[in-house]
Amino acid sequence: MVLSNSFLQYAFIGIACILLSSSISVEAAEVWGVHEQVQGYRNLGRGSCQDSRGKMYSYLQRTMTFPDAITCAQKECERFGNLGAYRGFEFSVGKRCTCLFDVDQAPPVPDSGEAPDYVGGSDGGDGDVFSTTSMPGTTCFASPGSRIEVKAAFALLSSATIFMLL
């Protein structure tokens, strides 16, 4: 039995994918080259946070800037951490801090003349953060429990490759 070169190439690619899927444990942030870490959150990389249906979340954003993502989390969004609808936050290159919530679940904000105003909006996101839009300008930080499984994508790719070989 003689095997063609293309069959051997596909077989090699399939084996490589299987090996990669069993050994890769890469944070999504490393894939996109965004490395800022915030304790208690998972950095999913560039782009706006999305749920499993690709919907973005309702949000609250103060009309002020923050020096970094850590300050955004600690001084602004962590106050909402006990709410079941809180999903994480986004930090932009414009140093804006946006706290994220399930659809129509953003809490009321205090009305104080001393505090900077809030802006907010409603979107259809619901449940754990699943992915990002991958668009530059914003970094997505998911609250605990929300994550992207890069390893799962490699496993799916390797299964599809093997199926094609059959």
Side-chain angles (χ1 to χ4, degrees), residues 1 18 25 32 35 39 43 46 51 63 89 91 99 122 124 142 157-158 166:
M1 180 171 146
I18 291 169
S25 178
W32 288 308
H35 297 289
Q39 185 175 356
N43 180 334
R46 72 177 181 195
D51 70 3
T63 56
F89 70 95
F91 190 71
C99 307
S122 184
L157 176 64
S158 65
L166 300 176

Side-chain angles (χ1 to χ4, degrees), residues 49-51 56-59 87 100-101 123 125-129:
C49 300
Q50 296 178 315
D51 70 3
M56 292 187 282
Y57 294 90
S58 296
Y59 67 91
R87 296 299 167 199
L100 306 174
F101 305 91
D123 213 329
D126 192 44
D128 288 341
V129 176

Side-chain angles (χ1 to χ4, degrees), residues 11-157:
F12 178 74
I13 291 170
I15 292 168
C17 287
I18 291 169
L19 292 173
L20 282 172
S21 70
S22 64
S23 63
I24 291 184
S25 178
V26 177
E27 296 287 332
E30 292 174 345
V31 171
W32 288 308
V34 180
H35 297 289
E36 186 172 14
Q37 297 302 313
V38 177
Q39 185 175 356
Y41 292 87
R42 186 170 167 118
N43 180 334
L44 297 183
R46 72 177 181 195
S48 295
C49 300
Q50 296 178 315
D51 70 3
S52 62
R53 299 170 300 137
K55 302 283 187 182
M56 292 187 282
Y57 294 90
S58 296
Y59 67 91
L60 286 178
Q61 180 187 79
R62 253 192 225 221
T63 56
M64 60 183 282
T65 59
F66 292 80
D68 53 39
I70 294 170
T71 307
C72 167
Q74 292 175 347
K75 301 292 184 191
E76 187 63 20
C77 293
E78 282 186 1
R79 72 179 80 198
F80 306 117
N82 290 332
L83 297 176
Y86 176 66
R87 296 299 167 199
F89 70 95
E90 297 166 354
F91 190 71
S92 72
V93 294
K95 302 201 178 288
R96 296 287 183 174
C97 178
T98 306
C99 307
L100 306 174
F101 305 91
D102 286 338
V103 61
D104 296 326
Q105 297 295 312
V109 294
D111 186 17
S112 168
E114 298 172 12
D117 291 333
Y118 280 91
V119 294
S122 184
D123 213 329
D126 192 44
D128 288 341
V129 176
F130 185 75
S131 63
T132 72
T133 60
S134 301
M135 299 298 290
T138 300
T139 303
C140 171
F141 292 87
S143 62
S146 298
R147 59 189 180 163
I148 290 179
E149 288 295 334
V150 175
K151 189 174 179 179
F154 280 106
L156 181 62
L157 176 64

